[in-house]
Amino acid sequence: MRIIFDCFKLIKGTGKSIGIYNVALELITQLVSEQKTTSSKDIVNSEIVVLGNSYNKIDFAMDGVEFHEITKYDPKNKKQCLYWELFYVVKVAKKLRGDRLFFPRGFSALRHSVKDIILVHDCIPFYYNEHFPKFFNKLENHYIMSRLKSSVKNSYKVITISKSSKKDILHYCKRKADDINVIYNTYKFVDFNSLQNNEGEEKQYICAITSTLPHKNAEGIVRSYQTYLEIAENPLDLILIGVDQSFIAKESDAIKEKVKCLKYIDSNDELYRIISKSSAFLFLSLIEGFGLPPIEAMQLKVPVICSNVSSLPEVVGDAAILVDPRDYLSIAQQLDKVINEESLRIYLIQKGLENLERFSGEKFAKSYWNTILE
């Protein structure tokens, strides 16, 4: 079987859903890895084909993949991407004799002449339509919602990344529950010891990941940290990843002095190093399809405090402290507690490492292979 992955539009570090790039890359990496170790003839004899661009070739043109760089269109040109996604990708897939056409971004083509599989990460466009209707262009968001509904309804198979996302899909889109497959994301393995260095004891701090998108709740993180400064005896600094320093330009001098903003970290190793050196990890999203950063923090042996909404309780289980993302006092109190109570820190770190077993790369790859080959 020839399985074609449409990664043409994916460019590292760009777009509204930066994480999809990493999810798609890890998915293909794990599928290739499983091919090399499995005894299943169906998997071994399958061919993985990636349709990519000049920007992602360095990552996706890996050993075990038949990579095709699409040069006819520009992945940074919206109109060309629209035509590619709606029409041309199917022509390319048929030309390459594809048996399955996999869309990691969740939107299928208008024609379904090749059996297509979509990976729907979340229903956040619908959330914005209800809670932040003026944030995105109304026409554009309406188009995205319509495309998602159509893709879910008409695709050969639908995969999503949590039971919470499946529930949302069933609420907004027409598809039988049995037709939607839940496969949890996996995480990229990190050698924890390799991130440590001999530069001496570094200053402790709190780490948080967010973005300027309202559902990532950057404002809530800053307000919670402000409250933490008011109640803690010796408050730690905060490293806020996902926004630049201008985000706190109107804040108090105390906030400006204690908060360091990092808009984007290109190197995964550097990102993991920063998280691994922190005393606590804060993740306060209002909605997530899965929520990978808390799992990454658990792998790096950092206690996690995260929102008690959407998919996050399902993903972190009892391995994190769950909080109302709008209850700033409670968040501040839990931060102070995690930082100062060693027994709690040890407990959360151990539970976090145990929780990782649910998202192993092996389970992930086998589930995808079984679903794709059905």
Side-chain angles (χ1 to χ4, degrees):
M1 181 177 291
R2 282 173 64 79
I3 307 152
I4 298 179
F5 289 83
D6 177 24
C7 299
F8 167 70
K9 198 176 177 180
L10 299 181
I11 302 175
K12 189 174 183 179
T14 65
K16 295 173 185 174
S17 301
I18 293 174
I20 293 179
Y21 185 101
N22 293 327
V23 169
L25 180 59
E26 192 63 24
L27 168 58
I28 294 169
T29 300
Q30 292 292 343
L31 292 179
V32 170
S33 177
E34 181 67 13
Q35 266 191 322
K36 295 176 180 178
T37 58
T38 186
S39 58
S40 168
K41 290 183 179 180
D42 288 341
I43 295 177
V44 171
N45 293 331
S46 293
E47 299 170 282
I48 297 174
V49 182
V50 172
L51 308 179
N53 57 59
S54 60
Y55 304 99
N56 64 28
K57 183 176 182 178
I58 189 171
D59 287 328
F60 286 94
M62 66 184 79
D63 182 42
V65 165
E66 180 184 317
F67 184 86
H68 291 265
E69 181 181 340
I70 305 302
T71 57
K72 184 174 181 177
Y73 298 108
D74 180 0
K76 293 185 177 181
N77 184 301
K78 284 188 176 182
K79 289 184 179 179
Q80 292 184 18
C81 283
L82 184 63
Y83 185 81
W84 165 267
E85 190 173 76
L86 292 175
F87 307 107
Y88 198 71
V89 61
V90 175
K91 293 182 179 180
V92 175
K94 289 184 70 175
K95 185 177 180 180
L96 293 174
R97 298 174 288 106
D99 298 296
R100 298 287 187 273
L101 179 53
F102 194 105
F103 293 99
R105 295 181 60 253
F107 302 105
S108 62
L110 289 185
R111 290 175 25 184
H112 304 270
S113 49
V114 178
K115 289 183 176 180
D116 49 0
I117 302 172
I118 59 171
L119 173 56
V120 180
H121 302 265
D122 53 59
C123 287
I124 288 176
F126 299 93
Y127 179 85
Y128 271 76
N129 185 56
E130 295 172 4
H131 298 278
F132 303 104
K134 297 181 180 179
F135 187 80
F136 291 127
N137 178 284
K138 193 169 185 178
L139 182 61
E140 181 181 355
N141 202 50
H142 179 75
Y143 169 78
I144 292 172
M145 291 188 294
S146 298
R147 286 280 289 120
L148 188 55
K149 287 181 180 180
S150 175
S151 297
V152 169
K153 180 181 179 181
N154 298 307
S155 295
Y156 174 63
K157 285 188 179 179
V158 179
I159 298 173
T160 193
I161 56 181
S162 66
K163 294 176 183 177
S164 176
S165 280
K166 178 175 180 175
K167 182 179 178 181
D168 289 342
I169 293 169
L170 292 172
H171 176 70
Y172 292 112
C173 307
K174 291 183 179 180
R175 190 83 187 217
K176 293 180 181 178
D178 291 345
D179 293 340
I180 301 175
N181 303 271
V182 175
I183 303 177
Y184 287 139
N185 283 337
T186 189
Y187 57 94
K188 183 178 177 63
F189 173 76
V190 179
D191 182 356
F192 178 78
N193 293 326
S194 71
L195 299 174
Q196 311 306 301
N197 55 45
N198 298 317
E199 297 175 2
E201 187 68 24
E202 296 189 16
K203 187 177 182 181
Q204 291 181 313
Y205 52 83
I206 299 160
C207 183
I209 287 183
T210 186
S211 83
T212 54
L213 292 172
H215 78 279
K216 291 295 187 179
N217 198 25
E219 180 69 22
I221 294 174
V222 174
R223 297 284 75 82
S224 299
Y225 181 72
Q226 182 181 42
T227 307
Y228 164 75
L229 289 181
E230 295 168 359
I231 67 170
E233 289 188 13
N234 298 296
L236 302 183
D237 291 356
L238 169 66
I239 293 183
L240 188 56
I241 301 171
V243 297
D244 58 34
Q245 208 67 24
S246 65
F247 185 79
I248 59 170
K250 296 182 180 179
E251 299 294 333
S252 66
D253 289 341
I255 293 288
K256 292 177 185 176
E257 183 180 324
K258 300 285 285 182
V259 177
K260 180 180 180 181
C261 298
L262 300 172
K263 174 64 176 177
Y264 179 69
I265 302 172
D266 184 62
S267 166
N268 284 337
D269 286 346
E270 178 61 12
L271 172 63
Y272 296 144
R273 190 195 69 79
I274 291 172
I275 295 174
S276 73
K277 296 290 185 179
S278 63
S279 296
F281 183 79
L282 196 57
F283 196 70
L284 298 182
S285 293
L286 303 178
I287 181 174
E288 289 286 343
F290 182 83
L292 189 59
I295 300 302
E296 293 176 319
M298 289 176 184
Q299 182 187 194
L300 298 169
K301 303 180 183 179
V302 179
V304 173
I305 299 172
C306 80
S307 301
N308 63 356
V309 298
S310 188
S311 65
L312 291 167
E314 175 186 348
V315 171
V316 302
D318 61 355
I321 292 180
L322 294 168
V323 293
D324 179 341
R326 293 187 173 94
D327 188 343
Y328 308 142
L329 177 58
S330 175
I331 295 166
Q333 291 171 336
Q334 294 297 343
L335 263 176
D336 195 43
K337 188 176 180 180
V338 166
I339 290 166
N340 291 298
E341 292 188 14
E342 185 65 18
S343 60
L344 177 59
R345 292 176 53 76
I346 293 172
Y347 172 81
L348 288 173
I349 290 170
Q350 181 57 41
K351 294 297 288 186
L353 293 174
E354 292 172 3
N355 191 45
L356 296 177
E357 297 176 9
R358 300 167 57 208
F359 313 107
S360 73
E362 184 179 359
K363 289 181 181 178
F364 174 81
K366 287 181 177 178
S367 295
Y368 266 96
W369 272 119
N370 289 337
T371 302
I372 290 170
L373 294 176
E374 281 179 348

